[in-house]
Structure formats: C-alpha cells, structure tokens
Amino acid sequence: MLGSWSQAEDNFTRQTDVVYGRKPGLALTMDVFTPKENANGAAVVWVVSGGWVSSHEAINPGFPAEFLKRGYTVFAVVHGSQPKYTIPEILPDMHRSIRYIRAHAADYKIDPSRIGITGASAGGHLSLMQGVAGDTGDPKAKDPIDQVSSRVQAVACFFPPTDFLN
C-alpha cells in the first residue's frame, strides 16, 4: 500500500496550511490537493472532522487519492473545534471556507459553479448543513469574501448524526 501511495503522490501537488479565515486566537486553514494532470475543474471540499473536532494532523493524504485520480481538486478544510467552539459557531467556518474557495476559483483552476462537499460523522453532519444552509453572501459586506456565495452543488456524506433530539 505504501508503494502505491508514493506513486500517487507524484500525480498531485499539496499546498498546506492555506489560511481561509480567522477567529479569535485561531487561524482557519485548509490543505489543497491539486492533480498535476487531467484536472476536471471540479472541487471537492473534504470536512476534516470527528466529534466536531478538527485538526491539521487529522488530514490523511490517502483520503483524496481517488478524487485526485479522477481529476478533482480537493480542499481539506479544518474548522474551529469543540469544546472551544459549539456546532453553531463552527458552521460559519464552513461557510467561510466555501466562500474563500469560490472567491479564489481562478487561482485553483476550478469552476466556481462545481463545488461539492463531503465528510464522515461530524464532517458528514457539517456537509449536510452546508448543503441546506449555504447562502448567496452579503453584497454589502466589507470583506469581499463574505460577499461570495457559500452554496455547494453536491453533498456526499457518510454516517452523519442527524437526530439531536434523541
């Protein structure tokens, strides 16, 4: 398996710790995995989260390998974590990440109208939330990133918690 991963690494570039936003005492970052050949112009946002805890160390570079082989650019997004931040305080991080990606679509050579999102467990929950709660942005916002849409065009999630009443 290690040999196949080493070969896969030759087929993409990885930009680490791209700052997409800030919270008090925290830089919000993501890693960007870009295929070297046959890029299809579509983006997959991978929500790096388990138990609504997210960290750069949790980015497993093996996860995006299949997406990269198929030409997708993958954005591994790290968000503010519990217990410092509650779920309602994490959701704006996800909006910010999508807005940042869309605002920089030309830089990443992606189509801003072809952004999907995925995650597992808490990452799946945040992906679902983004799918139903993305918005068009605020045209009057002072920050140009906040003027951009946070809507996604596709959601694929794995075992997300969805019932918080029981």
Side-chain angles (χ1 to χ4, degrees), residues 16-97:
T16 60
D17 291 327
V18 175
V19 176
Y20 67 86
R22 297 190 186 282
K23 290 179 114 158
L26 178 68
L28 298 168
T29 65
M30 65 179 142
D31 284 8
V32 182
F33 297 84
T34 306
K36 288 183 179 175
E37 297 177 349
N38 303 318
N40 64 22
V44 173
V45 175
W46 165 30
V47 183
V48 180
S49 188
W52 296 276
V53 174
S54 188
S55 72
H56 189 265
E57 294 75 31
I59 298 173
N60 175 354
F63 177 82
E66 193 61 37
F67 289 114
L68 291 160
K69 283 194 314 191
R70 296 171 186 265
Y72 293 91
T73 299
V74 179
F75 298 85
V77 173
V78 176
H79 59 73
S81 296
Q82 286 204 67
K84 184 172 184 173
Y85 299 103
T86 64
I87 295 169
E89 293 169 323
I90 293 169
L91 295 173
D93 300 352
M94 299 314 305
H95 288 287
R96 177 72 184 195
S97 70

Side-chain angles (χ1 to χ4, degrees), residues 100-154:
Y100 180 92
I101 292 164
R102 182 166 279 120
H104 291 89
D107 300 332
Y108 295 115
K109 298 179 176 60
I110 61 164
D111 180 342
S113 66
R114 296 178 66 204
I115 300 173
I117 192 167
T118 189
S121 190
H125 169 257
L126 294 171
S127 297
L128 286 174
M129 293 299 296
Q130 197 64 41
V132 299
D135 63 44
T136 58
D138 180 359
K140 296 178 182 175
K142 289 181 183 179
D143 183 343
I145 300 293
D146 291 332
Q147 297 173 9
V148 178
S149 170
S150 67
R151 291 186 173 156
V152 293
Q153 287 66 55

